[in-house]
Amino acid sequence: MIPFADPGRQYSEYRQQALDAVGRVLDSGWYVLGEQVACFEQEFAAYCEGGYGVGVGNGTDAITIALRSFGIGTGDEVIVPSHTAVATAAGVEACGAKAVFADVEERYYTLDPVEAEKAITPKTRAIVAVHLYGNPADLDALAAICREHDLRLIEDCAQAHGALYHGHKVGSIGDAGCFSFYPTKNLGTPGDGGMIVFSDEGACERARQLRQYGWDDKRQSQFAGVNSRLDEMHAAILREQLRHLDGWNQRRREIAGMYDARLKELDLVVPEVREGCEGVYHLYVVRVKNRDIIRQKLREKGIGASIHYPQAAHQQRAYRRDGLCLPVTEKIVDEILTLPMFPQLRDDEVNLVCQSLDEILSEGL
Ligand SMILES: *Cc1c(COP(=O)(O)O)cnc(C)c1O
């Protein structure tokens, strides 16, 4: 089966470097919040053209802690797309705020600024823009709305490490960029990890306290924090991986180019990258009619197509909102299909995916 993602194949590319890095950490005797995390925070923030990096336990916590570091919590509302990993909504609600769902643009699958603005109430404090599938959201329009209504703009960059918005790295444009290093992400460690990249030093300092019991530098809790730390072993591995990220993203773009060329002849919708942006194809998602049948037939041919995501957040029990209707989200949810996409995917495998889709679609259903 050709999987839609394959972190194990990726590991084989940096195996020795990772083992050496882990060995150095084990030998050092210092395992949590040490030199590796501090170096990786600086290196990754610099990579993102951002100011200050704060390593945390995972991408969901990155969103929660970023919001809390701006004083957002109980009684506040935060606008998010519903068409995203449910982690976006979970991250918002873990700070005590309510996730308010808005629709996405049909062309790019990212938060629609017009719909986001309509969702603003006196309780709104922030907008979380998700660069879904590695494709930058409309940050200019969203930033303008945030300025006008005095809201924070948080970028959920969990799928977009290295993506460019008008020549600038995502994560450096809003008030904070939240990243996940879950194994399948474009920068993915064998375990959990996350980071917030802040443009403001004060918010960064609060996040550093929040991730560790609200401690100040005398280890006294100044406010109620959590325990959400990036550990030394993952930071050491991530530092090695960071050297590969641009090359891996380039290979993803190359694969996307091959898919685009072959698939646009077929009766399906290929992904579009926003003008002036460079996507990083965390996922390659097409839209087709009869999606479930096609997915099944692909599986029979040994192709592990997947769905991101089979239910939008507001369609799941935990986040159901009475009377809420998001027409674009609810339409595309039944059409989206994720094809295999990871840097180590071989050309012959890409060809096989295209050929199989061609056969399935021309057979008629
Ligand atoms: C993966 C992901 C997250 C959450 O990251 P975790 O590290 O799994 O907590 C948040 N948002 C999006 C869009 C994601 O894809």
Side-chain angles (χ1 to χ4, degrees):
M1 183 75 84
I2 304 175
F4 78 88
D6 194 346
R9 249 202 252 183
Q10 184 146 303
Y11 172 62
S12 65
E13 281 197 23
Y14 63 89
R15 184 174 182 276
Q16 199 53 51
Q17 293 156 296
L19 292 174
D20 292 347
V22 167
R24 286 194 299 272
V25 171
L26 290 173
D27 289 340
S28 79
W30 189 282
Y31 305 129
V32 171
L33 293 189
E35 187 191 344
Q36 295 301 319
V37 170
C39 288
F40 181 57
E41 286 173 339
Q42 280 184 11
E43 290 161 5
F44 190 70
Y47 176 85
C48 295
E49 310 168 41
Y52 309 92
V54 181
V56 294
N58 56 66
T60 309
D61 284 354
I63 295 169
T64 309
I65 293 173
L67 290 167
R68 281 193 66 186
S69 66
F70 293 116
I72 298 169
T74 307
D76 297 329
E77 293 180 357
V78 175
I79 295 167
V80 295
S82 178
H83 178 56
T84 177
V86 81
T88 308
V92 167
E93 297 223 325
C95 83
K98 184 174 178 207
V100 173
F101 299 108
D103 217 342
V104 293
E105 296 178 75
E106 181 158 2
R107 210 162 153 197
Y108 305 112
Y109 315 135
T110 54
L111 192 60
D112 184 333
V114 175
E115 297 302 314
E117 190 163 25
K118 281 191 213 158
I120 294 174
T121 75
K123 292 182 176 171
T124 308
R125 296 284 312 279
I127 294 178
V128 179
V130 182
H131 305 305
L132 198 70
Y133 310 149
N135 198 4
D138 189 350
L139 291 175
D140 278 345
L142 292 167
I145 292 166
C146 287
R147 270 194 304 276
E148 191 183 326
H149 298 269
D150 193 23
L151 310 175
R152 298 292 180 173
L153 177 59
I154 309 294
E155 296 177 64
D156 179 342
C157 306
Q159 305 192 354
H161 318 63
L164 294 176
Y165 182 84
H166 296 175
H168 293 288
K169 293 265 169 56
V170 300
S172 67
I173 295 155
D175 295 288
C178 300
F179 291 85
S180 163
F181 306 120
Y182 180 80
T184 58
K185 309 291 186 185
N186 292 44
L187 187 66
T189 195
D192 275 310
M195 191 171 303
I196 314 163
V197 175
F198 287 100
S199 47
D200 177 73
E201 200 174 0
C204 163
E205 279 313 313
R206 279 191 295 284
R208 280 181 201 279
Q209 287 184 257
L210 279 165
R211 75 173 164 187
Q212 185 160 244
Y213 326 123
W215 271 356
D216 61 16
D217 47 15
K218 297 196 185 68
R219 303 197 159 201
Q220 310 238 323
S221 294
Q222 295 300 334
F223 40 80
V226 294
N227 174 1
S228 182
R229 300 175 293 218
L230 182 63
D231 68 63
E232 289 285 286
M233 274 196 262
H234 287 300
I237 294 171
L238 284 159
R239 292 181 72 195
E240 297 300 328
Q241 290 185 320
L242 186 55
R243 301 178 216 277
H244 294 274
L245 179 58
D246 285 337
W248 285 339
N249 282 342
Q250 189 48 39
R251 173 64 183 158
R252 285 177 185 268
R253 286 189 203 107
E254 192 178 296
I255 294 168
M258 292 194 272
Y259 274 142
D260 288 346
R262 292 276 301 271
L263 300 180
K264 67 176 184 235
E265 314 288 321
L266 307 183
D267 187 17
L268 49 73
V269 181
V270 297
E272 256 189 277
V273 178
R274 186 179 304 281
E275 216 174 272
C277 295
E278 230 177 284
V280 288
Y281 294 96
H282 171 61
L283 299 171
Y284 189 92
V285 176
V286 298
R287 276 161 58 201
V288 279
K289 292 185 216 85
N290 303 305
R291 187 263 322 271
D292 293 330
I293 301 170
I294 290 167
R295 181 184 185 206
Q296 184 52 36
K297 291 192 174 192
L298 281 169
R299 292 191 153 258
E300 285 160 18
K301 290 176 184 282
I303 293 156
S306 187
I307 301 171
H308 296 84
Y309 296 84
Q311 283 192 309
H314 77 288
Q315 295 174 321
Q316 303 181 40
R317 189 166 164 191
Y319 302 104
R320 218 163 269 162
R321 305 287 187 251
D322 282 343
L324 178 68
C325 172
L326 302 173
V328 176
T329 295
E330 287 163 30
K331 173 183 165 196
I332 63 182
V333 126
D334 295 327
E335 300 176 347
I336 46 178
L337 183 66
T338 306
L339 303 182
M341 169 59 84
F342 52 94
Q344 295 73 26
L345 191 67
R346 298 188 312 267
D347 289 5
D348 64 291
E349 293 174 310
V350 177
N351 283 331
L352 184 66
V353 175
C354 294
Q355 192 191 324
S356 304
L357 261 173
D358 190 358
E359 283 166 17
I360 292 165
L361 288 170
S362 52
E363 265 167 23
L365 299 164

